[in-house]
Amino acid sequence: ATVTDLATDQRIALSASTDFITYPYGNRLRYGPALDSLRIERFEFSPDGREGLIVQYDFRNATARKRHLSFQLSVKTDLRPVWFSERLGIAAQRHCGG
């Protein structure tokens, strides 16, 4: 994700969080102060019994001035077998170059 302050044209890529919190039901990433005291958090989870992922971004303006922001989200999927996949009959495919 990329956030741009339209008034100053400052841009930040949200590629590294300052905090990563894991809950039994999801994850929270905190990006700390960015773009002149803008606090950004991301919360994500997969709802029980449903396919998909929910991603929520929370923006907190710690300044007294109004902010005009642009938010761009790019999504890349990378589905790989995980814990207990073999119990479900899911196996990783191995690709050999040649």
Side-chain angles (χ1 to χ4, degrees):
T2 304
V3 180
T4 304
D5 186 325
L6 298 176
T8 64
D9 205 33
Q10 287 182 306
R11 176 176 294 165
I12 185 169
L14 302 178
S15 56
S17 64
T18 56
D19 295 307
F20 179 80
I21 304 164
T22 300
Y23 303 104
Y25 49 84
N27 301 308
R28 181 176 310 277
L29 292 90
R30 292 186 179 138
Y31 294 98
L35 299 177
D36 185 27
S37 300
L38 181 67
R39 296 200 179 274
I40 304 170
E41 287 189 7
R42 178 175 94 192
F43 180 71
E44 57 192 29
F45 70 98
S46 293
D48 288 340
R50 306 283 308 254
E51 293 181 10
L53 174 72
I54 305 223
V55 180
Q56 172 187 342
Y57 280 86
D58 184 49
F59 299 88
R60 305 270 171 137
N61 181 12
T63 68
R65 66 180 173 87
K66 285 186 177 183
R67 307 293 291 264
H68 297 279
L69 305 172
S70 171
F71 178 75
Q72 182 178 13
L73 179 65
S74 299
V75 178
K76 174 185 173 188
T77 59
D78 186 5
L79 302 176
R80 298 181 192 183
V82 293
W83 301 292
F84 304 114
S85 294
E86 68 279 355
R87 292 184 186 176
L88 299 172
I90 301 170
Q93 293 183 351
R94 302 197 189 278
H95 298 282
C96 298

